[in-house]
């Protein structure tokens, strides 16, 4: 019972992150499941089965709010599903000894990306009205889907920034379309894992606990994004992912450090993590002041 409560908390926290940033549900929850000792394939399968419910609910909410571009969902989601099925098949056929460090490397890379993305890089907000074509969306979906299945997450971290950087969609439609198309990715990955490993290592209780936590967090995330600056939250989550997966690689002896050297690595990561959060906070405050100064003052009421 205690483990199910922990999993529900993991699902709750991961959905808060995803709902606030438009990414990182899979990366966050898979990282924590691996830290709990679950095998890579089972962890990714568990997360994707839970995501079938969370992405369906999220997509429906975005659709009702008019945040979905169905042409983009189709053009990026179908190749994404193909990539996810392929990635699930590849991961299912790797031994745990091989798969664990590979997944940790993928997650570590995504963690570094998330940290840089929300610490240093900005978000382009002025849309370019030219439509996005298949030549851009199909390869993006294929790569993002493959990374998502093999890393236990990655659809949002790869897809959302790429569409934002294109400048051709409003941010709300980027997040809505990526969240909606992720249902196809989660479905394809789940089928790939069920064919590849069956139900070995997958506990229905874990899936339901993650799902319950995620569904509970979904409406709260909409409020959270107005309270905690996305840059600050992204820096905090990116640092957590980096620290956890570096620890996994050290424990697997993929990174050959011990004793004082191991301590030095952890201290360095924590120092960078704290510095990134501080940097993000200062950048947020600077942008907030600049936006306030750029807002024209309300005209004074004429004296009676």
């Amino acid at each position: 019972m205690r483990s199910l409560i922990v999993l529900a908390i993991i699902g709750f926290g991961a959905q808060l992150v995803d709902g606030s940033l438009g990414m990182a549900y899979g990366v966050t929850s898979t990282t924590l499941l691996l830290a709990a000792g679950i095998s890579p394939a089972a962890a990714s399968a568990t997360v994707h089965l839970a995501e079938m419910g969370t992405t369906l609910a999220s997509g429906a909410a975005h659709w009702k709010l008019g945040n979905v571009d169905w042409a983009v969902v189709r053009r990026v989601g179908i190749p994404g599903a193909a990539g996810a099925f392929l990635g699930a098949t590849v991961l299912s056929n790797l031994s745990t000894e091989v798969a664990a460090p590979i997944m940790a490397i993928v997650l570590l890379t995504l963690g570094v990306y998330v940290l840089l993305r929300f610490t240093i890089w900005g978000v382009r907000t002025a849309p370019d009205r030219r439509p996005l074509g298949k030549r851009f969306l199909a390869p993006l979906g294929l790569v993002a889907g493959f990374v998502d299945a093999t890393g236990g997450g990655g659809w949002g971290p790869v897809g959302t920034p790429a569409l934002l950087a294109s400048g051709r969609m409003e941010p709300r439609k980027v997040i809505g379309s990526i969240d909606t198309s992720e249902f196809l990715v989660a479905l394809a990955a789940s089928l790939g894992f069920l064919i590849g490993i069956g139900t070995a290592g997958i506990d229905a209780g874990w899936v339901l606990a993650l799902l319950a936590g995620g569904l509970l967090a979904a409406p709260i995330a909409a409020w959270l994004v107005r309270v905690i600056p996305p840059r600050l939250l992204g820096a905090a989550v990116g640092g957590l992912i980096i620290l956890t997966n570096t620890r996994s690689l050290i424990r697997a002896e993929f990174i050959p450090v011990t004793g004082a050297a191991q301590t030095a690595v952890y201290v360095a990561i924590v120092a960078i993590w704290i510095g990134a959060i501080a940097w993000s906070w200062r950048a947020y405050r600077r942008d907030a002041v600049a936006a306030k100064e750029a807002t024209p003052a309300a005209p004074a009421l004429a004296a009676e």
Side-chain angles (χ1 to χ4, degrees):
M1 183 64 181
R2 182 179 299 175
S3 61
L4 293 180
I5 293 174
V6 171
L7 285 168
I9 293 172
I10 290 174
F12 183 87
Q15 184 59 41
L16 285 181
V17 172
D18 190 81
S20 301
L21 302 180
M23 64 179 74
Y25 177 89
V27 177
T28 304
S29 52
T30 302
T31 292
L32 296 175
L33 287 176
L34 288 175
I38 299 174
S39 72
S44 187
T46 299
V47 169
H48 282 94
L49 285 167
E51 280 186 323
M52 288 174 59
T54 59
T55 56
L56 186 62
S58 180
H62 281 298
W63 169 62
K64 289 182 179 179
L65 293 172
N67 294 339
V68 179
D69 185 324
W70 289 106
V72 171
V73 170
R74 183 179 67 254
R75 291 172 181 173
V76 77
I78 294 175
F85 185 85
L86 177 61
T89 302
V90 169
L91 187 61
S92 297
N93 287 284
L94 293 178
S95 67
T96 300
E97 291 76 14
V98 175
I102 290 177
M103 180 176 281
I105 290 170
V106 173
L107 290 169
L108 177 61
T109 302
L110 291 172
V112 171
Y113 180 82
V114 170
L115 186 70
L116 292 174
R117 176 70 181 80
F118 289 96
T119 301
I120 299 174
W121 302 337
V123 177
R124 192 173 176 181
T125 56
D128 177 346
R129 296 301 180 184
R130 291 177 297 169
L132 289 164
K134 293 180 181 178
R135 291 184 180 181
F136 173 74
L137 292 174
L140 173 64
L142 189 66
V143 171
F146 185 84
V147 171
D148 188 83
T150 54
W155 181 252
V158 175
T160 298
L163 291 183
L164 285 173
S166 73
R168 299 189 184 185
M169 294 179 67
E170 298 174 65
R172 67 181 183 89
K173 287 205 170 186
V174 168
I175 294 174
S177 300
I178 286 293
D179 279 0
T180 302
S181 58
E182 191 171 10
F183 171 75
L184 299 175
V185 174
L187 176 62
S190 298
L191 289 174
F193 283 120
L194 290 175
I195 292 172
I197 64 173
T199 58
I202 302 174
D203 189 310
W206 299 350
V207 176
L208 292 175
L210 280 176
L211 176 59
L215 292 177
L216 183 63
I220 300 174
W223 169 82
L224 183 68
V225 74
R226 295 185 298 176
V227 178
I228 299 180
R231 290 187 75 160
L232 191 64
L233 187 60
V237 171
L240 173 64
I241 293 169
I242 292 170
L243 180 63
T244 305
N245 287 287
T246 299
R247 177 175 173 271
S248 297
L249 290 172
I250 290 175
R251 293 182 66 182
E253 299 183 351
F254 191 86
I255 299 178
V257 293
T258 57
Q262 185 178 125
T263 302
V265 169
Y266 290 141
V267 169
I269 291 174
V270 171
I272 293 171
W273 187 7
I274 294 172
I277 292 173
W279 175 290
S280 297
W281 175 251
R282 287 196 299 268
Y284 164 72
R285 295 297 302 164
R286 185 178 62 247
D287 293 344
V289 170
K292 186 176 180 179
E293 292 176 349
T295 303
L301 292 175
E304 294 182 359

